Amino acid sequence: MRHGEVDNPQGILYGRLPNYHLSELGRKMAERVAEHLARRDITHVVASPLERAQETAEPIAASHGVEVATDERLIEAENIFQGMTFGVGDGSLRRPSHWRYLRNPFRPSWGEPYVDQVVRMMNAIHAARQAASGHEAVCVSHQLPIWMVRSYVEKRRLWHDPRRRQCSLASLTSFTFEGERIVGVGYSEPARELLPADLAARSKSFGA
């Protein structure tokens, strides 16, 4: 699961910075997903150590009578632009001071390598599978790591256009196992009606 909306009125690329919590809307998103999952056979809930992921996991764990576990491997990807206002189409790419970090979009050179994200996320997913053996687990993480592991499982290239990620706020990307092998991938948006209009429109355009 991706965390819900964050209280970030300044539009900072918060990355791994502490003290970025869910907004009121983000908490509603988390509650909505908890309601959606209430009848699932969930015995293990684990989250990234960042506040927004922990807060998203709490209502899901509470509805199943378990504690939220923490796995560092579910954390957001490292990014050199953390703490800045840096986004697609905001002119940041035209700043000469940024160019040296943009030399290799395939790795990428501005942050944690895509392959490294896949490795740690796969390890976290397998750990959660083992912890919930015979049942279901929920892992709360962040958009880019989730999209990376899904792209790997679905055999897509890892470098991509960030605008094309199918991983909306509070969305569920599901992996079905037979033994240790992933045999199915699913995607759903239980809190879709709560998404801001621009994000909802983009999600619809992707066929979600």
Side-chain angles (χ1 to χ4, degrees):
M1 178 182 177
R2 184 185 173 192
H3 61 79
E5 184 189 67
V6 176
D7 185 13
N8 181 23
Q10 295 179 324
I12 299 296
L13 181 65
Y14 37 73
R16 296 182 176 183
L17 294 174
N19 300 318
Y20 279 88
H21 299 267
L22 292 183
S23 65
E24 182 178 350
L25 177 59
R27 293 183 182 278
K28 290 179 180 178
M29 291 177 172
E31 293 286 352
R32 180 65 56 85
V33 178
E35 293 171 4
H36 175 78
L37 296 174
R39 296 190 179 184
R40 304 293 301 192
D41 184 24
I42 295 167
T43 61
H44 183 64
V45 178
V46 59
S48 154
L50 297 174
E51 291 93 341
R52 58 192 184 272
Q54 293 281 319
E55 292 164 359
T56 299
E58 286 169 1
I60 300 170
S63 69
H64 291 276
V66 299
E67 297 293 324
V68 177
T70 300
D71 191 329
E72 293 279 349
R73 294 171 294 192
L74 295 173
I75 200 166
E76 177 64 284
E78 292 181 325
N79 193 310
I80 195 68
F81 300 113
Q82 174 179 290
M84 304 180 189
T85 53
F86 185 100
V88 176
D90 72 351
S92 298
L93 300 183
R94 292 194 294 270
R95 300 175 192 171
S97 61
H98 291 170
W99 291 349
R100 63 193 176 104
Y101 300 116
L102 305 172
R103 64 188 180 277
N104 184 356
F106 306 105
R107 185 179 186 265
S109 52
W110 56 82
E112 182 181 12
Y114 294 141
V115 171
D116 291 359
Q117 294 178 53
V118 170
V119 170
R120 64 174 171 85
M121 288 291 287
M122 287 297 297
N123 287 336
I125 289 170
H126 280 291
R129 175 187 58 80
Q130 292 171 347
S133 182
H135 306 276
E136 294 179 275
V138 174
C139 303
V140 183
S141 186
H142 308 269
Q143 186 189 61
L144 179 54
I146 294 171
W147 184 245
M148 285 297 90
V149 76
R150 178 180 170 186
S151 296
Y152 168 77
V153 170
E154 295 184 329
K155 303 185 185 307
R156 285 193 301 275
R157 69 190 185 200
L158 299 183
W159 61 274
H160 62 285
D161 182 342
R163 296 169 295 185
R164 302 300 300 174
R165 295 173 191 159
Q166 187 185 46
C167 190
S168 292
L169 292 167
S171 61
L172 296 171
T173 300
S174 304
F175 300 97
T176 302
F177 284 85
E178 284 185 3
E180 297 183 359
R181 186 168 64 95
I182 296 175
V183 296
V185 179
Y187 178 78
S188 61
E189 297 178 352
R192 181 171 177 173
E193 67 182 65
L194 298 177
L195 289 173
D198 60 330
L199 296 181
R202 186 191 307 175
S203 173
K204 187 175 181 180
S205 72
F206 293 162

